[in-house]
Amino acid sequence: MDVAIVGSGPTGAAYARVLSELRPDLELVSFEAGPLLADPPGLHVKNIADAEERAAAQRRSEGLVASDSEDRRLRRAGTHLLPDGFQQPGEDGIPSLAMSSNVGGMGAHWTAACPRPGDSEVIGFIDNLDELLDEAERLLGVSTHAFDGAPFADEVRARLGRAFDDSRPTGRKVQPMPLAVQTRDDGRVTWSGSDVVYGDATRSNPRHSLFPEAQVRVLRLEDGCVSGVVVRDLQDGTEHYVAAGQVVVAADAVRTPQLLWASGIRPRALGRYLNDQSQVIFAARLRDVVAADAAEGKASGKPRIARQSGVSWVPFTDAEPFHGQVMQLDASPVPLAPDDVVEPGSIVGLGWFCAKDLQETDRLEFDDEQTDAYGMPAIRVHYTLTDRDLAALEQARQTVRKAAEALGEPLDADPITLPPGASLHYQGTARMGATDDGTSVCDPLSRVWGVDGLRVAGNGLIPTSTACNPTLTSVALAVAGARDIASTYPKQEGTLP
């Protein structure tokens, strides 16, 4: 095997796609510990029309151990929580640290938001980052026009713009959220999952194979070079060794460092600089919009978007170190009067994500004696919020209230601060660096320092303190790594050009 890819989320799929396009001569294999949910592989569960089938797919993504509903931690459908070790005495911990185990990974369940990083979020040592982000948008199918016909969307952005734009530079003003979503002529929407990233190039590639319920247990090394992977078939319990010239570990920000640790690959930064974006939510009801929107919709002739409507974006800036995701809804998240009629799109949910004050001590610790349900080293989380983090959270609460009041009537007394882990945007645990100075796990081409033939992928690579959704950036980094394999991996005689 030329390239073995561990994980089938958006970044693992990006490696398979780019290599299928640029090097169709290579033998590729992808391993996924979780089950296949739907056809095509990696389909976003929101695209499953039948509600019972969709719920069943979500349940199948929730790991090997049934969730304990008694501990009252925040749970999201399609994910499973770290069962224990999520909080140490005297620390904040990450109680809602969650993963998804299925073909497509978290990409089968995500909100599909793909904002670009700005200001200090940007990884400064990658010179061609903008071009890589362009390519990531192509692979994910990103659009800023998915909800052009959403009721009140223009008015939402106009009101937010009046409240925020004067102090913001060009490019960081209020705007439509870039989304990995496509809207059909009849108003139905299709959400991108790993199926979109794989694309026809991967699905039609006879040299690529995808194996679900195949857990990579350890990476094998010979003389400082990766030689292959040991895979457990979770259906029958058998183990198999698969030799590979290159291995890409794209498991997620928790299980990628866990697998490296289990394989004896333990650079100092592995699991450290853990970044979870603290999240504040609020809701508002638009005022004085029904008549105006009806006239606008009739004049434009645009189809009205059903269910979740417009999504707007208040970008991160260094002066306001958080990122706002503003989603219009057809139903109120809090009870209204029984006879109150909710106009579609007039209820607005606001989510503010805060950038973390990065610390080496915020980390995942792996146990060489105790194991988890998959037989891998058990994880303990060390994580604290600093004074800067608490100040940013307070600023976010004030700013999200300002946004709600600019839109109309807040629907609750105060914004809600969600428990740590609710963002699902964990980063930093396999972080990228410009030099091998002990503060990073891999180089700018995702190559693990000191181990030839091994690369890592996923949100864990992002080394900066970000507030924006990380998937677009992670896929961009995967593109760079896949291109490097394509350009440097030797061609064999008698293979395709």
Side-chain angles (χ1 to χ4, degrees), residues 299-318:
S300 69
K302 297 176 183 177
R304 289 176 68 88
I305 305 299
R307 299 181 64 80
Q308 185 169 288
S309 297
V311 184
S312 300
W313 177 30
V314 182
F316 168 97
T317 67
D318 287 341

Side-chain angles (χ1 to χ4, degrees), residues 202-453:
T202 309
R203 285 188 288 271
S204 64
N205 182 1
R207 289 180 169 84
H208 175 256
S209 301
L210 168 65
F211 292 96
E213 297 181 84
Q215 179 207 357
V216 174
R217 301 262 300 160
V218 70
L219 312 176
R220 288 275 176 85
L221 302 178
E222 295 181 8
D223 299 324
C225 179
V226 70
S227 61
V229 299
V230 176
V231 185
R232 173 178 289 178
D233 185 327
L234 295 183
Q235 295 184 5
D236 62 18
T238 58
E239 290 194 354
H240 310 270
Y241 173 68
V242 179
Q246 294 268 314
V247 174
V248 179
V249 181
D252 62 30
V254 176
R255 289 173 287 189
T256 288
Q258 182 189 46
L259 177 57
L260 266 62
W261 182 274
S263 305
I265 303 167
R266 302 177 179 183
R268 174 176 173 78
L270 188 71
R272 295 178 180 269
Y273 302 97
L274 175 60
N275 172 14
D276 167 52
Q277 299 168 350
S278 297
Q279 187 178 0
V280 176
I281 62 171
F282 208 27
R285 186 173 188 173
L286 298 178
R287 69 167 80 89
D288 305 326
V289 289
V290 175
D293 179 72
E296 177 188 334
K298 185 178 293 185
S300 69
K302 297 176 183 177
R304 289 176 68 88
I305 305 299
R307 299 181 64 80
Q308 185 169 288
S309 297
V311 184
S312 300
W313 177 30
V314 182
F316 168 97
T317 67
D318 287 341
E320 295 182 307
F322 26 75
H323 140 93
Q325 188 167 324
V326 181
M327 306 174 74
Q328 293 170 251
L329 311 171
D330 279 357
S332 174
V334 300
L336 300 176
D339 58 349
D340 200 351
V341 177
V342 175
E343 187 74 11
S346 64
I347 302 296
V348 183
L350 303 104
W352 255 236
F353 298 81
C354 301
K356 179 74 172 74
D357 184 15
L358 299 183
Q359 306 178 102
E360 185 183 23
T361 53
D362 292 330
R363 69 193 189 278
L364 303 176
E365 183 179 280
F366 304 103
D367 193 320
D368 285 324
E369 303 297 329
Q370 184 179 355
T371 58
D372 64 14
Y374 288 88
M376 300 298 285
I379 296 171
R380 286 189 292 273
V381 177
H382 292 274
Y383 196 79
T384 58
L385 298 176
T386 68
D387 289 343
R388 288 177 60 184
D389 293 327
L390 297 175
L393 262 171
E394 180 55 34
Q395 188 182 0
R397 284 189 282 266
Q398 295 173 8
T399 305
V400 78
R401 178 181 290 280
K402 173 183 173 182
E405 291 173 348
L407 292 173
E409 303 164 6
L411 292 181
D412 213 339
D414 294 298
I416 297 171
T417 301
L418 295 182
S423 75
L424 306 178
H425 295 168
Y426 321 125
Q427 299 163 56
T429 54
R431 72 200 307 250
M432 181 177 285
T435 59
D436 184 8
D437 61 1
T439 66
S440 61
V441 172
C442 67
D443 71 7
L445 294 172
S446 302
R447 299 174 296 195
V448 173
W449 299 114
V451 184
D452 291 341

Side-chain angles (χ1 to χ4, degrees), residues 19 55 120 122 136 139 160 311 313 385 412 473:
L19 291 172
S120 59
V122 175
L139 297 184
L160 291 173
V311 184
W313 177 30
L385 298 176
D412 213 339
T473 299

